[in-house]
Amino acid sequence: MLRHLLESHNFTKDETESLLMVAENISKQPEEYRELAKYKRLATLFYESSTRTRISFETAMQKLGGDVIGFPSAEVSSVSKGESVEDTIRVIQCYADIVAMRHNKEGMARLASEYSRIPIINAGDGSNEHPSQTMLDLYTIKQRLGRLDNFVIGFCGDLKFGRTVHSLTQILNKYYSGIEFYFISPEELKMPDRFLEKNMKYTEVNDLETTIDKLDILYMTRIQQERFSSKEEYMRFNGVYVLDEDKMKHAKNNMAVLHPFPRVNEITLGVDKDPRAAYFDQVQNGLYVRMALIMALLGIKDPISGQFILN
Ligand code: CP
């Protein structure tokens, strides 16, 4: 059956955990996975800029023995001549077996999936969702805490436009129990109502300094300049939250700091050497998780467990 990953909860809880388990197997025995996607081709269609997501998807496919095609920006494709997403996907599916697509407009990965006979991975659609980031965030949280239930997580910064926050919040609330959320943001950048579910245990605050001591996970985010209507509007919020070594003194000894990156100025370089900084682990884990994700959607069995990832 054709499956896509458009929103973080598109895989069941069992499927999600199976994906994380395979990612861990990959991290321990990468040589077992070297040729699993030989003769398969990934297309990365990036209408919006990226460093980590595009390059890690491409590296993931290459490490599975497959090929990569695609475009890194709309300007270098026929999109710049006015070609639609619908036509682009109908063309690309003639050449590729799976697509990772990023677009600056919400819902574009879903639209692509409606015209596609190959799996579509939403690699970020505007300020909506970024589900493959969620998978690597879950992996990193589990690596740090040893569990995905019963912890306190604080999301700090631009929660209005922060698609990684939207995706991770959804899956934690749907699949795991005992999660307490702190949403730390200016009033104007609050978590949108559509992502606040009735059964969620959450507190909205605007101060990081007085909240940090309560957290097991601190998920920092960038204020997203590209989502504001003007530079002046962006500058009102730029630098409003800065995690530095002083603030880290108030945090628990085993708190983990996550950030999807890119970072601008919201975590000082001094925090990087703190063992609680987990953001470069996220980048590394993204490779394993995206290898597992490509396997999942192409229906490739895990050679270690002998299992398929999706049911
Ligand atoms: N985390 C993330 O989406 O980074 P990029 O924008 O560099 O892909």
Side-chain angles (χ1 to χ4, degrees):
M1 188 181 73
L2 177 61
R3 299 279 299 270
H4 307 287
L5 184 66
L6 306 174
E7 294 143 351
S8 61
H9 58 275
N10 287 161
F11 295 172
T12 65
K13 183 179 180 188
D14 281 352
E15 289 171 339
T16 302
E17 298 202 332
S18 184
L19 180 92
L20 301 184
M21 186 265 292
V22 172
E24 192 179 351
N25 291 345
I26 292 169
S27 75
K28 290 180 181 154
Q29 291 177 257
E31 65 284 356
E32 296 293 325
Y33 295 80
R34 268 202 301 246
E35 302 217 318
L36 293 183
K38 207 170 172 185
Y39 309 120
K40 297 287 182 188
R41 185 164 293 134
L42 166 75
T44 51
L45 310 184
F46 276 61
Y47 296 75
E48 190 185 69
S49 60
S50 165
T51 295
R52 276 144 297 273
T53 310
R54 185 175 63 81
I55 293 174
S56 65
F57 265 120
E58 293 182 355
T59 309
M61 190 51 155
Q62 287 160 357
K63 283 196 171 274
L64 290 167
D67 297 328
V68 176
I69 56 171
F71 51 80
S73 72
E75 289 71 36
V76 296
S77 75
S78 284
V79 173
S80 63
K81 302 173 196 159
E83 186 159 53
S84 66
V85 164
E86 295 93 313
D87 281 357
T88 302
I89 210 70
R90 284 186 286 203
V91 170
I92 294 297
Q93 67 187 358
C94 301
Y95 310 137
D97 302 287
I98 183 168
V99 165
M101 176 179 160
R102 169 170 291 186
H103 204 289
N104 57 341
K105 283 201 192 127
E106 300 189 7
M108 282 296 152
R110 175 161 295 286
L111 179 67
S113 74
E114 287 164 10
Y115 288 84
S116 181
R117 58 170 187 261
I118 61 175
I120 305 287
I121 300 166
N122 177 7
D125 63 326
S127 53
N128 187 35
E129 289 226 26
H130 190 349
S132 69
Q133 176 75 39
T134 297
M135 300 299 164
L136 73 91
D137 291 342
L138 289 176
Y139 186 97
T140 308
I141 293 171
K142 188 156 184 221
Q143 191 175 52
R144 287 287 172 145
L145 299 184
R147 63 186 189 280
L148 287 170
D149 288 302
N150 299 312
F151 64 88
V152 182
I153 183 165
F155 291 95
C156 179
D158 181 353
L159 311 188
K160 179 178 178 186
F161 297 119
R163 57 194 175 199
T164 66
V165 174
H166 304 158
S167 290
L168 181 56
T169 305
Q170 299 309 293
I171 206 164
L172 285 175
N173 192 54
K174 276 189 205 307
Y175 292 166
Y176 298 99
S177 59
I179 313 282
E180 191 175 344
F181 299 89
Y182 279 88
F183 296 122
I184 309 158
S185 74
E187 185 64 25
E188 295 87 342
L189 299 179
K190 277 171 60 174
M191 191 74 174
D193 286 344
R194 71 182 195 278
F195 295 112
L196 295 172
E197 293 179 39
K198 282 199 180 75
N199 68 339
M200 225 179 214
K201 186 174 179 198
Y202 70 90
T203 310
E204 294 182 295
V205 295
N206 55 29
D207 186 43
L208 172 61
E209 203 145 13
T210 55
T211 309
I212 196 168
D213 63 330
K214 301 174 179 61
L215 308 177
D216 300 304
I217 299 288
L218 171 58
Y219 195 104
M220 293 296 294
T221 64
R222 170 178 70 94
I223 307 290
Q224 300 192 36
Q225 181 172 356
E226 66 275 25
R227 312 275 178 228
F228 287 88
S229 52
S230 69
K231 176 117 187 180
E232 291 70 38
E233 180 76 358
Y234 162 70
M235 288 309 288
R236 286 175 56 214
F237 303 108
N238 180 33
V240 68
Y241 298 110
V242 178
L243 181 67
D244 56 17
E245 289 157 282
D246 272 349
K247 288 197 189 76
M248 287 298 284
K249 287 181 188 149
H250 303 286
K252 291 180 186 174
N253 289 336
N254 64 345
M255 186 191 81
V257 182
L258 274 66
H259 190 311
F261 273 27
R263 101 176 116 178
V264 183
N265 52 12
E266 57 281 349
I267 303 179
T268 62
L269 295 182
V271 179
D272 294 358
K273 60 183 180 302
D274 189 311
R276 294 170 289 183
Y279 28 90
F280 289 109
D281 294 354
Q282 284 171 279
V283 176
Q284 179 65 65
N285 295 338
L287 177 62
Y288 309 136
V289 165
R290 289 184 171 120
M291 286 172 74
L293 181 54
I294 292 168
M295 287 172 57
L297 290 169
L298 289 179
I300 298 171
K301 209 185 257 186
D302 176 35
I304 307 251
S305 65
Q307 306 285 320
F308 291 106
I309 296 168
L310 303 184
N311 295 328

